Amino acid sequence: MALLSGATLSLAVCLSLGTPAVSNFLPAIHADAAPVHSGPMTVEAESNTPIPSSISLSFGGRTRSFDLIALGIRQVTLLKFSVYVIGLYANPAALAAIKTDKWRANYNADAFLNGKDSGAYMHDLLSTPNAELTLLVKTVRATTGTHLRQGFTRFLTQRLAEDDKSGAFKSEADQRLAEEAVATLESKFPAGVVAKDEEFWFTKTANGQLRVEYQGRELACVQSDWLSRNFFEGYIRAEKQIAPKFRKHLANSFEQLSQK
């Protein structure tokens, strides 16, 4: 059953940053089909919004399967109204990483929530060979692409500044590539109205790409390990949390999965 039936698919390219324009384009990675799911739906309780318990994404000539591991709601901090539902999905390699002896022996949900090692666990997960994650953002009210873009890129811009200050970048060239990656992501968002119940899928591929799909159409595919890693790590950071309820559900889900 296609979640985004009737959506227009388009050929898209994955941008490889930091090379001359004539060689900026890697082999095309297209949305071969809109996201599909089979089986049950999971309902986010606060907004009463259903999202799939599993999902298949097809691009690059192959289909990837993902299972839902956490969900929650993004709310505007001051007004406390809901903006979108978040669902985090993991492929089999990522799920296997969570169930290793290392996670079983060391992971603690309370420590994760308190900020201790939360980034390290997500970094470990994202660094696992063949591990892929995809994040669903499903709007629960009408908004604009500009508003969503500002929310998504704000924490990335903050992280750029933090990495610059801490000396995390190995070189000025690495910093410039990260900045270009954020600017590329920013430029690809729709400018107009994003209606209620519309969906964005953000996929961190195994080879360090961040692929963004909106209503069955690929918006961007940016070749940047920094961007793909920090986009996902942004949702689990302890400081300036984007979605505290999602983060809490993820912390408990990690604990349950690691003990299986």
Side-chain angles (χ1 to χ4, degrees):
M1 172 182 166
L3 284 179
L4 307 178
S5 57
T8 302
L9 303 182
S10 69
L11 182 67
V13 296
C14 187
L15 298 178
S16 179
L17 302 171
T19 55
V22 294
S23 60
N24 252 0
F25 300 100
L26 297 180
I29 296 183
H30 14 337
D32 300 328
V36 297
H37 77 89
S38 59
M41 302 287 280
T42 300
V43 176
E44 195 285 313
E46 191 154 343
S47 63
N48 199 34
T49 300
I51 64 173
S53 301
S54 60
I55 192 76
S56 294
L57 298 176
S58 297
F59 56 91
R62 136 176 121 79
T63 299
R64 281 102 162 149
S65 298
F66 300 85
D67 291 325
L68 180 67
I69 61 172
L71 78 165
I73 192 84
R74 161 66 174 162
Q75 295 178 314
V76 174
T77 306
L78 295 178
L79 301 178
K80 294 295 184 184
F81 64 77
S82 300
V83 181
Y84 57 79
V85 166
I86 306 162
L88 181 64
Y89 298 75
N91 76 340
L95 287 171
I98 301 170
K99 298 175 182 179
T100 58
D101 291 340
K102 179 170 117 177
W103 278 64
R104 188 175 297 111
N106 297 301
Y107 180 79
N108 180 274
D110 290 333
F112 181 97
L113 288 170
N114 291 333
K116 182 180 180 181
D117 296 333
S118 56
Y121 279 105
M122 183 59 83
H123 182 76
D124 179 75
L125 182 58
L126 293 171
S127 301
T128 300
N130 300 316
E132 297 187 329
L133 299 176
T134 192
L135 187 85
L136 166 65
V137 166
K138 183 174 182 177
T139 53
V140 298
R141 63 173 62 237
T143 183
T144 66
T146 300
H147 179 260
L148 291 174
R149 181 196 68 210
Q150 290 171 343
F152 292 136
T153 58
R154 185 181 300 116
F155 70 85
L156 291 169
T157 302
Q158 292 170 349
R159 187 56 186 264
L160 281 170
E162 291 167 2
D163 283 2
D164 180 27
K165 185 177 180 180
S166 68
F169 292 113
K170 294 180 180 178
S171 66
E172 290 184 3
D174 284 347
Q175 180 175 349
R176 186 171 60 254
L177 288 175
E179 292 168 348
E180 290 175 0
V182 174
T184 299
L185 176 64
E186 226 176 351
S187 71
K188 299 299 182 180
F189 272 82
V193 173
V194 176
K196 181 179 182 291
D197 290 329
E198 292 193 342
E199 299 178 347
F200 291 81
W201 293 88
F202 298 84
T203 304
K204 193 267 184 200
T205 67
N207 61 350
Q209 299 166 353
L210 181 66
R211 179 181 178 274
V212 186
E213 186 173 325
Y214 168 55
Q215 292 296 91
R217 178 173 62 89
E218 186 172 278
L219 291 182
C221 183
V222 186
Q223 181 70 52
S224 170
D225 184 68
W226 186 95
L227 178 64
S228 61
R229 176 168 45 82
N230 280 285
F231 182 88
F232 281 87
E233 289 184 4
Y235 276 90
I236 58 92
R237 61 183 180 175
E239 304 80 18
K240 299 179 181 178
Q241 296 177 24
I242 296 171
K245 294 174 183 177
F246 164 78
R247 188 171 179 273
K248 183 176 182 180
H249 189 238
L250 178 61
N252 292 330
S253 178
F254 274 163
E255 187 161 71
Q256 292 170 7
L257 288 168
S258 68
Q259 298 305 314
K260 286 186 177 180

